Amino acid sequence: MTELVLSDLLRSVLRGLEITVILTISGSILAFVCAFVFGLGRVSRWRFIRVFSVCYIELFRGTSVFVQVFWLYYALPAFGLLLSPLLAGILGLGLNVGAYGAEVVRSAVQATGRDQYEACCALNFTRYQTFRYIILPQAFPRMLPVFGNNMVELMKASSIVSLISLSDITFQAQQFRIRTGQTFLPFAVTLIVYFILYLGILFFIRSVTRLANPQKVKV
Amino acid sequence: MIIMEQIAASRPMVQISDVSKAFNGISVLDGLNLEIPIGQKVALLGPSGSGKTTILRLLMTLETIDAGQVRIEGVPMYEGAPDAPCLLPEGQIRAVRSRIGMVFQHFGLFPHLNVLNNIALPQILNGQAGKTEAENRAHELLQMVGLGEKAYLLPDQLSGGQKQRVAIARALALQPDILLFDEPTSALDPQRVSDVLDLLNMICRKTGTTMLLVTHEMEFARQFADRILFFDHGQIVEDGAPDVVFTNPKDNRTRAFLGLPVIDV
Ligand SMILES: Nc1ncnc2c1ncn2[C@@H]1O[C@H](COP(=O)(O)OP(=O)(O)O)[C@@H](O)[C@H]1O
Ligand SMILES: [Mg+2]
């Protein structure tokens, strides 16, 4: 195997990695925002917001992420909305995973006991104060492990964007295989890179968990 | 002016007028009337399910009433017609609610905050004190309830009796005019009961707070209260000074509850 082939592989992988990382990070940020907006919307006092949130959550959980990305990229232009492949990818992944995240937020918030809300009422907290200082700090650590899983799912699902002509790692590996006829090498490298990304996400979630949990004793 | 002040001073701290409350169509309170003067210590007794907790909860606005009116020193909590009362809007009800504190049967401490912050945070969020001042006050209150050394522990690291005292300190920190206690001794060892009694009596001496306390402990009620209310099916069947109610109640339901011989009419 020549040095040329190896450096070609390295360049391809790095270029693909960039796209995969951008998709994972941007998609996760969007998913995080959607999870909170619609997860809290789901338990809103206003019926309209509740119904709207349920529609979003069930629509995106009930259809495949492939179809969603295709829709954003191929079908929206028919309505005059033209998205770049990267934007369509980020939106599709973020909205899809956000719908799952919304259910995580909802159940974590609802898992906080009624006694906590009643204590807040007795202490004359506003709704915002109750949420910000009492409910959220208890609910957020409960969300983190599932958020971690969701982020990993998003990272793995990001390979579908090669179908809308984005050259992520999987796409680059394919191209490399076609160019060189090598099969083992590109996909072995791809496997390893995905696994390293996975470890990175684990590490990230572990760090956030440590920050979000109260120090037990502060003497 | 003087007359106005006298009228204000003579207003009861709590005035419950013709209040009805049903859960799922089952009536719990039916046309209840009750006035509590400023500074009075009232013990609510009665069989379980008779509506004692419900009275505390509706004073704390954790439940809303179906009919009637509730006034705190003359200020109504509800607007609209008496047969369809509607709790005042959030901004207005908070002003009334700020005068009332409650100590829950299961304490309702915040598990993610240490003991100090459980007591300091409400003062800060209510705009009563800055961080340093609130913490100083929390330390003082912890000292007062005998938990000076526990400030930096989490609630889960305390015993039931200690949690109880933190909950009392937290309610006191906001300096309410009315304090509600729901079975403050039910989660405690019998030996600890007199500690709570001493603490409540000390609070009364220091602050003159009006207190409404639900309990099952006759002896506790007798020593704590100026006035005993005996409840049955949401109705006050006995209302008087402890000596009278405990030694010579006029209602047979009370007599039965206290194990006294029933009077034939
Ligand atoms: N949130 C609720 N939903 C339905 N029923 C309730 C609720 N709260 C209280 N009740 C009922 O109201 C009655 C009075 O309850 P409560 O005030 O807790 O009695 P007590 O404190 O005297 O034991 C009981 O029959 C109880 O089952
Ligand atoms: Mg009760």
Side-chain angles (χ1 to χ4, degrees):
Chain A
M1 209 183 311
T2 66
E3 234 170 74
L4 215 64
V5 173
L6 272 181
S7 81
D8 181 14
L9 178 62
L10 195 69
R11 243 179 302 116
S12 303
V13 165
L14 283 180
R15 228 178 301 134
L17 182 64
E18 191 188 350
I19 296 287
T20 299
V21 167
I22 289 174
L23 278 169
T24 304
I25 292 177
S26 313
S28 295
I29 291 171
L30 178 62
F32 184 78
V33 172
C34 287
F36 268 91
V37 168
F38 294 101
L40 297 179
R42 182 88 167 61
V43 292
S44 163
R45 272 176 295 155
W46 291 291
R47 197 183 133 78
F48 169 76
I49 295 179
R50 280 201 309 274
V51 170
F52 185 76
S53 304
V54 170
C55 288
Y56 158 77
I57 291 168
E58 297 309 341
L59 191 71
F60 277 87
R61 291 201 313 169
T63 59
S64 113
V65 64
F66 288 80
V67 179
Q68 288 158 22
V69 171
F70 285 170
W71 240 88
L72 289 166
Y73 188 63
Y74 292 118
L76 281 190
F79 301 96
L81 200 61
L82 207 63
L83 301 177
S84 74
L86 188 63
L87 196 57
I90 292 171
L91 276 179
L93 291 166
L95 288 172
N96 179 270
V97 175
Y100 287 91
E103 284 297 283
V104 177
V105 170
R106 179 192 61 79
S107 70
V109 166
Q110 287 186 337
T112 311
R114 209 175 64 151
D115 68 314
Q116 295 289 301
Y117 288 94
E118 294 190 341
C120 289
C121 177
L123 295 165
N124 211 19
F125 292 177
T126 62
R127 273 175 218 280
Y128 169 76
Q129 289 171 339
T130 301
F131 181 74
R132 165 68 185 80
Y133 295 97
I134 305 303
I135 307 304
L136 188 61
Q138 293 182 57
F140 191 60
R142 280 199 285 267
M143 302 173 194
L144 282 174
V146 195
F147 275 170
N149 289 345
N150 287 0
M151 203 170 164
V152 171
E153 288 303 321
L154 191 150
M155 184 264 293
K156 291 191 285 189
S158 71
S159 64
I160 62 157
V161 295
S162 57
L163 298 171
I164 56 169
S165 79
L166 266 181
S167 36
D168 72 319
I169 291 192
T170 310
F171 179 83
Q172 292 287 3
Q174 273 284 22
Q175 293 301 104
F176 183 85
R177 182 183 66 81
I178 293 165
R179 263 202 314 281
T180 61
Q182 300 255 13
T183 49
F184 175 77
L185 197 58
F187 287 114
V189 171
T190 309
L191 216 60
I192 292 167
V193 170
Y194 273 120
F195 192 71
I196 290 171
L197 286 178
Y198 166 73
L199 291 179
I201 293 173
L202 278 195
F203 178 77
F204 170 68
I205 292 291
R206 185 103 39 94
S207 312
V208 178
T209 305
R210 208 170 296 132
L211 284 177
N213 278 321
Q215 10 4 8
K216 288 293 170 192
V217 188
K218 200 178 84 177
V219 180
Chain B
M1 270 324 282
I2 292 166
I3 294 169
M4 291 289 286
E5 273 167 31
Q6 279 171 346
I7 290 172
S10 68
R11 274 178 183 160
M13 187 51 112
V14 175
Q15 184 181 25
I16 294 174
S17 318
D18 298 317
V19 164
S20 298
K21 172 72 184 172
F23 290 108
N24 313 317
I26 298 165
S27 171
V28 176
L29 304 176
D30 187 14
L32 178 75
N33 284 287
L34 172 62
E35 286 191 4
I36 300 173
I38 293 171
Q40 196 168 55
K41 294 185 274 176
V42 182
L44 292 177
L45 291 168
S48 106
S50 57
K52 306 179 299 291
T53 298
T54 303
I55 291 174
L56 299 193
R57 289 174 58 81
L58 64 86
L59 286 172
M60 197 64 259
T61 70
L62 296 170
E63 307 282 358
T64 53
I65 61 179
D66 300 335
Q69 180 60 280
V70 179
R71 289 189 178 80
I72 302 302
E73 224 181 330
V75 181
M77 285 184 157
Y78 290 83
E79 58 187 10
D83 58 343
C86 185
L87 198 66
L88 292 179
E90 189 69 9
Q92 287 173 52
I93 200 65
R94 288 191 72 231
V96 186
R97 204 188 273 142
S98 71
R99 309 194 55 186
I100 309 172
M102 181 160 176
V103 178
F104 293 89
Q105 194 170 359
H106 302 291
F107 321 124
L109 297 178
F110 303 129
H112 62 298
L113 299 177
N114 65 26
V115 166
L116 187 77
N117 286 331
N118 260 278
I119 303 170
L121 183 72
Q123 301 174 59
I124 298 168
L125 295 187
N126 276 277
Q128 290 193 356
K131 189 171 174 351
T132 320
E133 199 187 335
E135 284 177 359
N136 288 342
R137 197 168 151 64
H139 278 298
E140 272 168 36
L141 284 161
L142 282 173
Q143 214 77 51
M144 188 180 104
V145 300
L147 292 174
E149 276 83 69
K150 309 286 185 188
Y152 299 103
L153 296 183
L154 287 173
D156 285 346
Q157 297 168 303
L158 302 179
S159 73
Q162 292 169 336
K163 285 183 196 169
Q164 173 75 273
R165 281 180 278 163
V166 175
I168 294 174
R170 184 175 73 172
L172 281 177
L174 297 179
Q175 296 171 290
D177 298 319
I178 307 163
L179 261 177
L180 311 171
F181 295 87
D182 196 3
E183 313 221 8
T185 55
S186 68
L188 306 187
D189 297 336
Q191 307 95 284
R192 298 262 78 100
V193 170
S194 66
D195 291 353
V196 177
L197 185 67
D198 292 344
L199 178 58
L200 295 190
N201 282 330
M202 177 173 71
I203 294 164
C204 288
R205 273 200 308 278
K206 276 194 174 177
T207 63
T209 311
T210 306
M211 292 194 186
L212 195 53
L213 179 146
V214 172
T215 183
H216 274 119
E217 311 240 357
M218 303 297 156
E219 203 39 49
F220 187 90
R222 190 202 287 265
Q223 292 184 36
F224 161 80
D226 306 325
R227 178 183 177 190
I228 305 282
L229 294 173
F230 192 89
F231 259 80
D232 195 33
H233 292 97
Q235 310 235 294
I236 299 170
V237 295
E238 202 78 44
D239 178 356
D243 291 343
V244 180
V245 171
F246 283 118
T247 53
N248 193 18
K250 54 187 184 342
D251 189 276
N252 274 336
R253 282 166 291 188
T254 322
R255 298 187 74 89
F257 192 81
L258 295 174
L260 296 172
V262 170
I263 310 166
D264 288 321
V265 185

